[in-house]
Amino acid sequence: MKSELKNCQNCKTDFTIEPDDFGFYEKIKVPPPTWCPECRRMRRFAQTNETVLYKRKCDLTGKDIFSMYSVGAPFPVYETDAWYSDQWDPYDYGMDFDETRPFFEQVLELQNKVPRMSLVRQGMEVNSPYTHRVTNPKNSYMTFRASYPENCLYVYNAKYTKDCADSAWIFDSELCYECVNVENCYNLKFSQESKDCRDSSFLYSCRNCSNCAFCVNLVNAEYCIWNKKYTKEEYSEKLKELKLNTFTNIKKLEEEFLGFKKEFPVKAIATVKSEKVSGNWFSNCKNVHNSFDCVEVKDGRHLFMVFSAEDCMDYYEWGNKAEQIYESTNCGINIARLYFCNQCWMGATDLYYCNTCPGARNCFGCVGLKKGEYSILNKKYSKAEYETLKDKIIKQMKEIPFIDKRGIKYFFGENFPEMFSDFAYNETIANYHFPLTREEALLRGYKWKEKENKNYKITLRLNDLPETIAEVDDSIIDEIIECEDRDNPESVGAFRITQNELNFYKKMDLPIPRSCFNIRHLRRMKKRPALKLIKRKCHKCDIGVVTVYDEDCAPIVYCEKCYQQEVY
């Protein structure tokens, strides 16, 4: 089978479907996509709110709760434990299939009336109400997409982290601050792309380093500053001179470090024990292409933040024993054959177009089913009835499309239209990776949520914040602090410091931040290169490479072989 050039129905650019892709589509019995990979990724990202929380009432118990859904959601929202309880039955919302109407239209009707869980959590939550998409959080605050976080603050995408704050893509680490893509680190600050490091600040792409500062591409190093080796005593004196406990010096030296790291080569693809991969951030992967942040994945394409999975395409986040997943989001834990699904986990198998159906099997177009089986539009059937009706619906979807306001046609084999997202575009991860203006988002069919005018009464201006934490007393937890980037549309304008946060800054000898969580999170996200593949050449051997690092981010790019020779 040959590759085929297609024109994206959404953005009108050309894209290629590879022979292996056709084999996958044939195996799962769906037609090839009509949207390009980037538009498909953007559409998946727009299905999930990860970091925006609202205060509201539980529509079942009346309790005050935190939720990923605002008060204006069209469907009832239940506190997570209440949603899992036997106090309500999702089959009560079942609908008969109406063959005179497009199936997508009927799914949207169902979607807008079935109750949803307020926050996604697995396991036991201990003193962590402000957490979402987490497993077993303990004493954590504003922590998202994390497994087993303990005493964590403002952390995103983490696993087994303890006493960490303002960090993202951080794994098996403790006492870390403002770190991105770090693993197995201790007492690390302002660092990125580093592993097995401790007692250091401002590292980039370092391995097994301790007591280092402002270093790049070092391996097994100790007592280094700006990649220069010192004695233990010299290092201690130099570090004192840098005054890394003052806000002004941190900000000034951070700018210097950004320029310094561009003098060093960056490996075209960040990989560990992986082969036949394209994209970035791979560990123990094989034959995975145009994908990012994958661990122990085999045979995949167009993936993002997926681990322990095999034979998957167009899949965003999770995994943990996942097989043959296509065009799905937030699905994981012993799952198989999920197509066009969102938030289906814990043994979910053989689902089509389902939303929030943990443990469900053999369902089509269902919403909120807990361990449901042989169901369509939340109505239960016998196995034979289910198979017959499923085939009838697929046939209808192939013949009669759902047409959105832009005139784009959705047949069987396409993911849910943008208008089906439970969230406004600017509430989702899509807005970080593919930022749009309000007008652009609405034009593309997405919803948009207007910024609420909080009118915070600021009690502490930026100019009044002290340089060091030593100058701060406990009264600061009562202050409403001005955000330095308050005019940014993403800023909430002001912020407060919690007692646990203050304790962390004192322990780490760090100054009070100058911006709200939203801005700090956005800045961390922007430290990583965009999810776009660029053709470049290795600066050492001139071989062609495909990378996410553009000239501005990394002027010097090396292929795997040249990087290994130079750095290791």
Side-chain angles (χ1 to χ4, degrees):
M1 191 176 292
K2 296 181 179 180
S3 60
E4 183 177 321
L5 189 67
K6 291 211 167 216
N7 187 262
C8 177
Q9 187 183 189
N10 185 53
C11 70
K12 309 305 179 186
T13 60
D14 291 336
F15 67 100
T16 302
I17 299 180
E18 303 293 344
D20 287 349
D21 299 350
F22 282 112
F24 180 83
Y25 302 138
E26 186 176 334
K27 177 166 55 180
I28 67 174
K29 296 181 173 58
V30 301
T34 64
W35 289 39
C36 71
E38 184 166 296
C39 286
R40 301 198 306 267
R41 179 173 284 131
M42 188 175 180
R43 184 171 56 184
R44 288 192 301 277
F45 284 7
Q47 292 179 351
T48 180
N49 171 1
E50 300 189 322
T51 62
V52 181
L53 301 184
Y54 298 96
K55 286 184 178 180
R56 58 168 295 157
K57 296 281 187 182
C58 170
D59 289 315
L60 183 65
T61 66
K63 285 174 52 180
D64 290 322
I65 61 172
F66 298 107
S67 172
M68 60 178 148
Y69 303 109
S70 66
V71 175
F75 40 76
V77 175
Y78 294 172
E79 189 271 332
T80 301
D81 288 342
W83 188 90
Y84 273 114
S85 73
D86 295 329
Q87 297 181 63
W88 71 285
D89 187 352
Y91 280 112
D92 289 343
Y93 300 85
M95 298 167 50
D96 289 316
F97 170 63
D98 183 353
E99 59 186 270
T100 67
R101 299 166 58 200
F103 183 71
F104 274 131
E105 184 180 299
Q106 298 174 65
V107 174
L108 182 59
E109 181 182 332
L110 180 69
Q111 185 172 290
N112 284 340
K113 64 183 182 181
V114 177
R116 308 295 178 78
M117 64 173 66
S118 58
L119 298 170
V120 177
R121 293 195 182 118
Q122 309 291 332
M124 181 75 71
E125 176 261 311
V126 179
N127 191 31
S128 304
Y130 289 87
T131 58
H132 177 40
R133 303 196 185 281
V134 290
T135 300
N136 292 98
K138 183 178 180 181
N139 301 325
S140 293
Y141 175 77
M142 294 298 281
T143 292
F144 309 96
R145 285 214 181 278
S147 297
Y148 307 96
E150 183 175 350
N151 305 328
C152 288
L153 305 159
Y154 311 111
V155 166
Y156 172 78
N157 193 25
K159 176 175 68 71
Y160 293 111
T161 47
K162 184 178 180 181
D163 296 305
C164 293
D166 282 281
S167 295
W169 284 274
I170 178 169
F171 311 109
D172 305 290
S173 296
E174 185 175 351
L175 283 177
C176 293
Y177 178 72
E178 279 293 358
C179 290
V180 178
N181 281 103
V182 302
E183 182 179 354
N184 195 32
C185 292
Y186 178 85
N187 190 25
L188 193 65
K189 305 170 188 174
F190 310 104
S191 298
Q192 189 171 352
E193 306 288 349
S194 295
K195 184 177 180 181
D196 303 321
C197 295
R198 61 182 295 125
D199 303 318
S200 300
S201 299
F202 291 100
L203 303 186
Y204 186 85
S205 195
C206 291
R207 299 289 183 273
N208 195 33
C209 293
S210 63
N211 297 288
C212 292
F214 305 98
C215 292
V216 181
N217 287 352
L218 292 190
V219 179
N220 302 326
E222 190 176 23
Y223 303 122
C224 295
I225 300 177
W226 301 109
N227 279 40
K228 182 179 178 181
K229 175 74 174 175
Y230 292 94
T231 66
K232 181 179 179 180
E233 293 74 18
E234 289 173 333
Y235 174 83
S236 181
E237 288 302 313
K238 291 282 185 183
L239 203 60
K240 288 179 183 177
E241 293 172 9
L242 292 172
K243 296 182 180 179
L244 290 181
N245 64 339
T246 67
F247 175 78
T248 299
N249 272 30
I250 288 172
K251 193 168 185 178
K252 172 178 170 290
L253 290 167
E254 184 177 30
E255 287 298 317
E256 291 183 23
F257 186 59
L258 284 174
F260 178 72
K261 73 178 188 180
K262 290 183 180 181
E263 300 173 12
F264 296 84
V266 171
K267 187 163 66 168
I269 305 177
T271 63
V272 176
K273 297 179 181 178
S274 299
E275 56 180 299
K276 296 182 180 178
V277 295
S278 63
N280 215 35
W281 305 292
F282 297 99
S283 178
N284 295 296
C285 293
K286 183 177 181 181
N287 192 30
V288 182
H289 298 283
N290 193 17
S291 299
F292 309 89
D293 294 289
C294 293
V295 178
E296 295 179 354
V297 177
K298 181 182 178 184
D299 300 328
R301 193 181 292 270
H302 314 308
L303 314 179
F304 183 48
M305 292 169 60
V306 173
F307 67 96
S308 300
E310 184 173 344
D311 200 21
C312 300
M313 285 185 66
D314 292 85
Y315 179 16
Y316 168 50
E317 218 287 321
W318 216 346
N320 195 1
K321 297 183 181 178
E323 185 176 352
Q324 210 174 98
I325 312 301
Y326 177 59
E327 274 285 19
S328 293
T329 303
N330 299 314
C331 298
I333 308 179
N334 298 314
I335 58 173
R337 299 175 298 282
L338 304 189
Y339 314 125
F340 324 107
C341 293
N342 185 13
Q343 293 190 173
C344 298
W345 55 83
M346 295 295 291
T349 54
D350 298 292
L351 305 182
Y352 293 80
Y353 295 106
C354 289
N355 189 336
T356 317
C357 293
R361 297 169 179 265
N362 297 288
C363 294
F364 200 107
C366 291
V367 181
L369 287 191
K370 299 167 284 187
K371 298 183 179 180
E373 191 173 21
Y374 297 117
S375 302
I376 295 174
L377 295 173
N378 282 33
K379 183 175 180 179
K380 185 73 181 286
Y381 296 90
S382 69
K383 180 179 179 180
E385 290 171 332
Y386 170 80
E387 294 294 346
T388 299
L389 184 54
K390 181 184 79 171
D391 291 343
K392 183 178 181 179
I393 292 172
I394 291 174
K395 183 176 183 294
Q396 186 231 46
M397 292 177 73
K398 289 178 177 179
E399 296 172 352
I400 305 174
F402 174 85
I403 305 175
D404 69 13
K405 292 180 181 179
R406 295 184 296 158
I408 291 181
K409 298 178 180 180
Y410 294 84
F411 292 92
F412 175 76
E414 289 291 348
N415 205 344
F416 286 114
E418 298 99 315
M419 60 182 289
F420 279 51
S421 174
D422 295 331
F423 309 103
Y425 189 84
N426 54 331
E427 292 177 305
T428 70
I429 188 177
N431 202 37
Y432 289 118
H433 294 283
F434 305 99
L436 298 176
T437 65
R438 176 184 180 277
E439 291 71 24
E440 289 170 335
L442 294 176
L443 191 62
R444 297 190 186 201
Y446 296 109
K447 297 187 282 281
W448 189 267
K449 185 171 179 59
E450 298 299 335
K451 182 179 177 181
E452 296 180 27
N453 190 358
K454 297 289 187 178
N455 288 322
Y456 291 115
K457 185 179 179 181
I458 293 171
T459 62
L460 189 58
R461 296 290 175 181
L462 291 174
N463 292 339
D464 298 324
L465 279 172
E467 277 285 306
T468 68
I469 195 67
E471 303 167 77
V472 177
D473 59 36
D474 285 3
S475 66
I476 199 167
I477 65 174
D478 298 320
E479 304 282 5
I480 299 175
I481 305 170
E482 176 186 19
C483 175
E484 67 178 351
D485 205 4
R486 61 184 303 182
D487 293 331
N488 188 312
E490 298 298 324
S491 173
V492 297
F495 63 101
R496 303 187 78 152
I497 301 295
T498 67
Q499 185 64 61
N500 287 347
E501 190 178 354
L502 179 61
N503 295 342
F504 178 84
Y505 296 142
K506 287 182 176 181
K507 183 176 183 178
M508 300 289 281
D509 197 16
L510 289 163
I512 297 294
R514 265 57 175 175
S515 53
C516 67
F517 160 75
N518 287 14
I519 296 299
R520 303 199 309 264
H521 179 62
L522 180 62
R523 288 172 181 169
R524 281 190 293 278
M525 297 287 277
K526 287 185 175 181
K527 286 182 178 179
R528 288 165 40 109
L531 307 180
K532 293 179 181 287
L533 300 183
I534 305 164
K535 290 183 179 180
R536 295 183 64 182
K537 287 190 175 182
C538 172
H539 278 63
K540 191 170 185 180
C541 71
D542 211 36
I543 191 174
V545 295
V546 178
T547 181
V548 296
Y549 301 103
D550 61 20
E551 291 276 356
D552 182 62
C553 176
I556 307 170
V557 170
Y558 278 10
C559 67
E560 173 86 16
K561 183 178 180 181
C562 290
Y563 187 87
Q564 295 284 351
Q565 291 173 347
E566 173 116 348
V567 175
Y568 293 100

